[in-house]
Each structure stands twice: as C-alpha cells, then as structure tokens.
Amino acid sequence: MAQTTLSTILEVASIDLAPYEALYKHFHTNPELSLQEKATSEKCAAHLAQLGAYELHTNIGGYGIAGVFRNGSGKTVLLRADMDALPVKELTGLPYASSVSMRDADGSEKPVMHACGHDMHMTCLLAAAEILVKTQDAWSGTLVVLFQPNEERGAGAQAMVDDGLYSKIPIPDYIFGQHVMRLRAGAIGSRPGTIMAACDSMKVTVFGRGGHGSLPHYTVDPALLAAHIVVRLQGIVSREVDPSDLAVVTVGSLQAGQTENIIADRAEIGLDFRTVRLETREKVISAIKRIVEAECAASGSPKPPVFTPTRRFPPTNNDDGVAALLAASFADHFGGSFDPNTARTNVSEDFPVLATAIDVPSCFWFLGGIDPDLWDKGQTEEIPGNHSALFAPVIQPTLKAGVDALCIAALTFLKK
C-alpha cells in the first residue's frame, strides 16, 4: 500500500473525538505528581481494557502501563506517552482547570497542574490505540502503547526498563513519541539528529561559619560565597563553550539562612544545565566544579563543597533514516503544517532511554498546541509555554493532529 494512502486509512477509520475531548478535560482537572500517578494509570488501563485488543501490563517501574496488540507478522512499533504533572498552581481560568493539591516527595503540600501537556499526550495515545485497532486490516505486526510515569524527574523510562519492561513486551523495532509545545496548534515539527538537549540538575552545598550579622569578621558568610559563585557561573557558556555549540547554565534556586541578622553556616545552590554534545557536558560539569571549589577556597570555606546530582536527561537523538521516512509520511498527511527541520530545543526528555536501553532507532516530534488565532497575531514570545501556570493548549486541532501523527508513524512501519 503506497504511503499516499495512509491518510485514506485514517479517514475510513475516523472516530468521534468528543469522548476524548472529555477525557482530556478529566486528565487536566485531575493531575497527579511524579511517582503518584495511580488514578491516572488506572484510567488509562481501563480505557485500553475496553478496546479489548490489548494485552495489558500494569505497575511497571511504578505506575507504568504497556498495552500490546498483536496483529500478525511484521515489525513491532512502540508509541509512548507520559503521565505525570507538575507542582504548579494553575492560573489559566479554564472551566476544567485543576484545583488539586498533593504532598510531594518531601511531604510538602503542593498545588498540581498539567503544565507540560502530558494530559494531551495520554489522550492522543488512547485515541490512536482505538483507531489502530479499527484499522487492523490495513497493517500487520505488533503495536505497543506505553504510558510512562515520572518523566518530569527524568527517571520514569529507566525505572520501567529496570523493572523488566522488555521481558514483559515484545522488543520493539521502532519507538516513537511526541510532545505538545508552544507552536501553532495542528502543526507537527521534527528533525533528524538531535531534537532535544541533554539536561543535568544538581544541588551544590557550600559551607561557611555562622554567626551574628553584626560581627561578620568572626564568620565565613556563605551568602556572599554563593553570590560570587552565581555570578561566576555565567561565564561558562559565554567564555568556555564554543559559540557554535549549544549550552545553557541556569541557577534556579539559592537558599542561605532564614532571617536578616544571622549569618548562616551554609548555602544551597540549585543548578540546571543543558548541552547537546557529550564533550560539552563534561566541560560544563568540570567548569562548575572548578568555579565552586575555587570560590570556596577564596572565601576561606571551612569544608569542601558537596555536589548532589538530582536529575539527568539524555539528549533526544532522532535516527536519520527513520526520521526521513516519517518526514515523508508527515509531509504527505499534514502538508504545510509539517516542518521537517524544526528548531532544536533546550527542553529535555527521558524518552530516549526506552530506545538506547535496547539499541533500537527512535524518533520524537513536536505537536503544536497554541490557539491558531492567537499564534497568528504574532508576539509569540508572550504566549505562555510549557511549565507556565498559564499553559493552556487548545483541545482542537491539537488533539486531532496528535492522534493522526501517532497513527501515521505506526502505519508508516506496519502497513501491509
């Protein structure tokens, strides 16, 4: 069957997306934090069970789910969505906005919001799972639909792998995923090679000698020490990384002391840095440690600093050959709404772990979610993006485009 008929397959098997719009609103209203996605996981599993075609595996690496649909001989394709939400207080004003609060890992009560579009990812994959069952006469092989927990902390994919994911399901030949982004709704964007940067986060604890704010000469002030570190770190990207390369270093948090007139005995710096090349990552890590240790020595810190890694996301690298085949299918289906050379982003994902763990090719693409009328007015930099309390993808045409993209990707490699 020629690639130009993929769109026809979807047209013939079109489903009513209204129930999925309602499902999206349910997910959005009822978000759950990383490692706590119990109700979300149960909702996804129940929906797959209703379809009747999927062999279900639940509670993989936490609340992870994999549904397997065996449809004769052929390749195996895995489609992935993530499930967790963020500790963000929603300010969208939507009628289906979240008012949920949950206790996070350290026991603190936090407001929770789907501020990164994972609610859309799940809904698109559940709808695609139904369509691909309806189109089973047009393709042959095995389809795996995977719902992953704990993406926001960068550990969910590895947890599923470590919990025996690939001993429970057929080893896929191809792995695909997508992410709703601050792009025009209905648009699809992908590229060969690196599409998303690697991300590392760490906490750096530096030590001083505490005392009274009126007697600084008896102390080593960790607030001043931390301030020097924060300023000096800004020179890593501007002066140590090749300008043609890509790197970002961000100080996301700085905590020293609790009150005005006491010099604390320590300060904690929260760091996040993004890179594409492994060599650049190592250079940035080395520079961070060099700067922190040198500033501690310059300030007379009584103890060496402590570096505590908190997150690690690998770069997301699209296989060139697979990306080219998908680009042809996407261009045929989406026309001018598909960008085959979308801009690489410093946003990060743990999606590639699913593929690198078994050394199979993968491809990831972006799904636009911003109201077309708003987008077309320009000033797109003012439109709230992922992780914002105001992030509010329009349900349509975002949902239909995301469902179509997943189905087109699967059919490209499974069609008869």
Side-chain angles (χ1 to χ4, degrees), residues 297-308:
S299 294
S301 180
K303 291 200 298 185
V306 175
F307 301 90
T308 307

Side-chain angles (χ1 to χ4, degrees), residues 34-363:
S34 306
L35 300 175
Q36 301 183 58
E37 311 94 336
K38 183 175 186 292
T40 302
S41 174
E42 290 172 348
K43 188 77 170 176
C44 292
H47 189 88
L48 289 176
Q50 288 177 358
L51 297 178
Y54 290 87
E55 162 196 318
L56 280 178
H57 302 271
T58 60
N59 298 318
I60 309 171
Y63 291 110
I65 302 169
V68 180
F69 177 24
R70 302 174 194 272
N71 188 34
S73 61
K75 298 292 186 180
T76 297
V77 167
L78 186 153
L79 304 177
R80 174 267 202 179
D82 36 15
M83 299 188 291
D84 52 334
L86 286 160
V88 173
K89 181 175 177 59
E90 182 161 358
L91 300 175
T92 62
L94 292 168
Y96 51 91
S98 166
S99 59
V100 169
S101 292
M102 300 182 77
R103 293 195 181 278
D104 65 10
D106 65 9
S108 302
E109 190 80 10
K110 299 284 181 65
V112 186
M113 175 192 176
H114 267 301
C116 201
H118 296 187
D119 44 356
M120 183 63 71
H121 303 168
M122 291 183 284
T123 309
C124 288
L125 184 52
L126 289 169
E130 179 180 351
I131 289 174
L132 289 166
V133 169
K134 289 189 66 177
T135 61
Q136 61 186 282
D137 290 342
W139 60 272
S140 180
T142 299
L143 174 69
V144 180
V145 291
L146 183 144
F147 297 81
Q148 180 202 308
N150 198 19
E151 184 277 331
E152 294 294 353
R153 301 304 302 170
Q158 189 64 56
M160 292 190 76
V161 171
D162 291 344
D163 198 23
L165 170 66
Y166 292 121
S167 66
K168 305 174 192 295
I169 67 170
I171 301 295
D173 296 291
Y174 309 99
I175 298 178
F176 301 123
Q178 63 183 0
H179 205 298
V180 64
M181 300 288 274
R182 192 178 65 168
L183 299 169
R184 192 179 193 275
I188 301 291
S190 192
R191 63 180 292 124
T194 303
I195 188 170
M196 304 180 87
C199 166
D200 291 81
S201 298
M202 69 169 68
K203 291 182 179 178
V204 180
T205 304
V206 295
F207 299 93
R209 186 167 56 245
H212 200 288
S214 67
L215 302 169
H217 53 298
Y218 291 133
T219 72
V220 173
D221 188 348
L224 181 60
L225 164 57
H228 282 300
I229 290 171
V230 170
V231 173
R232 189 63 184 263
L233 289 174
Q234 308 311 308
I236 295 175
V237 173
S238 65
R239 287 298 175 266
E240 299 191 40
V241 175
D242 186 329
S244 65
D245 199 357
L246 183 151
V248 175
V249 176
T250 297
V251 177
S253 65
L254 174 57
Q255 176 65 46
Q258 301 295 327
T259 192
E260 300 92 331
N261 64 342
I262 298 174
I263 294 174
D265 64 356
R266 69 187 62 199
E268 186 175 86
I269 303 167
L271 280 177
D272 179 273
F273 54 98
R274 313 284 170 130
T275 53
V276 171
R277 299 171 63 242
L278 180 60
E279 299 91 328
T280 306
R281 175 181 180 270
E282 296 303 320
K283 177 181 283 190
V284 169
I285 292 174
S286 177
I288 289 170
K289 291 183 175 180
R290 185 192 74 238
I291 287 169
V292 170
E293 290 168 353
E295 291 293 350
C296 286
S299 294
S301 180
K303 291 200 298 185
V306 175
F307 301 90
T308 307
T310 55
R311 294 192 305 169
R312 171 91 190 270
F313 293 84
T316 301
N317 297 317
N318 287 341
D319 180 86
D320 288 352
V322 171
L325 290 171
L326 279 186
S329 294
F330 283 164
D332 181 66
H333 184 77
F334 293 104
S337 294
F338 171 62
D339 180 359
N341 194 32
T342 195
R344 188 173 57 196
T345 178
N346 289 332
V347 174
S348 302
E349 261 273 359
D350 70 345
F351 163 82
V353 170
L354 296 170
T356 57
I358 50 174
D359 195 25
V360 300
S362 64
C363 193

